[in-house]
Amino acid sequence: MTDKTTQFDRRNFLKATGLVGSLALTSTAGCLGGDEEAMTLVAGTAPGFPPFEMKEGETLKGFDIDLLEAVVEETEYELSEWSEFEFGSLSPALQNEKIDVIAAAMTIRADRDENIDFTDPYYDANQAILVASESGFTPATMSDLDGANVGAQKGTTGESTVETQLIEENLVAEGDYSSYGNYVLAVEDLVNGNIDAVVLDTPVADSFVADREVQVAFTYETGEQYGFAIREGASELQSTLNDGLATVKENGTYDDIVAQWFK
Ligand code: GLN
């Protein structure tokens, strides 16, 4: 069952039966014992990060959703459920065994690696500084953000960039930084003129540029790579997912999913 048609059919089946995002199976997340039911995985994500994960009405969709489902399809595991959190709550949910795997455009970072583990990387990103198109504010460097009101999503590398490059550099006052539950809310505040700039991952900035009155003022190179996260020490699941990722990269499924979400 490795062809693309089968994978996409399976996803539609899950959606049609309401299994995606709603049904809690009786099996315990993370209890990967010997019985059949225990081979199920509960995936966690944080919608509001287009095109990686977002809600269209009640439906959860996006690049990460399709990619993780395609990867798991290549393994002996079954994806039983998608569970939604704010980004900052994903890592605790993984550690508390509420979920077994995170698919949320999560950057592989040494500080995160202390508490959770990552698969091989599957997507590259940098940081973008997003401004409202109508604002006339066109910063070209971090120094140009001197005195600005900036926003980012809680717990992200965007937030770390604000902290290390703007607050610690005494360009932006602590009180002029707003931390949001998700980037959709941050971009709404930007468009409404409540803040001057939003710092976020480049591919997501491009997605907002495509359908909001915002533009990328400049990018700040961070050389980030996204990985799926699993519990610390879950080495069997880690190598299984790495094998699945390698397979979908080799057989063209990865490129198909990229083509679908990055136009
Ligand atoms: N890649 C960023 C991070 O890991 C943002 C992820 C997100 O907001 N979903 O912090």
Side-chain angles (χ1 to χ4, degrees), residues 49 53 87 104-107 112 153 155-158 183 201 224 226:
F49 207 63
E53 36 270 337
F87 184 78
M106 187 178 272
T107 301
R112 291 175 177 164
Q153 179 175 299
T156 61
T157 49
Y183 273 116
D201 296 23
E224 296 174 50
Y226 301 160

Side-chain angles (χ1 to χ4, degrees), residues 16 23 37 40 50 82 87 98 122 133 240:
L23 179 63
E37 227 183 1
T40 59
W82 280 96
F87 184 78
K98 290 195 174 78
Y122 65 80
S133 309
T240 301

Side-chain angles (χ1 to χ4, degrees), residues 11-184:
R11 194 167 62 251
N12 288 335
F13 167 77
L14 287 172
K15 273 178 195 151
T17 54
L19 274 163
V20 172
S22 61
L23 179 63
L25 293 191
T26 48
S27 67
T28 311
C31 174
L32 302 175
D35 61 310
E36 203 181 299
E37 227 183 1
M39 292 304 283
T40 59
L41 296 175
V42 176
T45 193
F49 207 63
F52 292 93
E53 36 270 337
M54 60 265 202
K55 293 301 280 280
E56 207 175 81
E58 287 300 295
T59 311
L60 177 66
K61 50 187 264 184
F63 177 86
D64 279 333
I65 313 308
D66 286 352
L67 182 62
L68 183 67
E69 289 187 358
V71 167
V72 171
E73 188 73 25
E74 298 297 335
T75 72
E76 67 273 30
Y77 290 90
E78 287 283 330
L79 206 56
S80 66
E81 186 192 349
W82 280 96
S83 201
E84 295 166 19
F85 297 85
E86 283 191 350
F87 184 78
S89 303
L90 282 168
S91 188
L94 182 64
Q95 291 171 264
N96 296 334
E97 310 201 354
K98 290 195 174 78
I99 54 177
D100 303 302
V101 55
I102 298 171
M106 187 178 272
T107 301
I108 301 167
R109 275 168 59 116
D111 56 348
R112 291 175 177 164
D113 223 344
E114 286 172 14
N115 301 313
I116 56 179
D117 280 342
F118 288 97
T119 64
D120 291 334
Y122 65 80
Y123 207 87
D124 296 341
N126 289 296
Q127 292 298 308
I129 286 62
L130 202 62
V131 296
S133 309
E134 304 295 304
S135 68
F137 182 49
T138 53
T141 64
M142 288 293 179
S143 312
D144 294 339
L145 291 168
D146 195 0
N149 288 286
V150 300
Q153 179 175 299
K154 194 172 160 52
T156 61
T157 49
E159 183 167 81
S160 324
T161 303
V162 170
E163 279 163 1
T164 61
Q165 306 305 315
L166 295 172
I167 296 175
E168 284 168 25
E169 296 295 322
N170 293 318
L171 290 166
V172 168
E174 188 104 50
D176 289 340
Y177 167 59
S178 305
S179 185
Y180 295 86
N182 71 63
Y183 273 116
V184 172

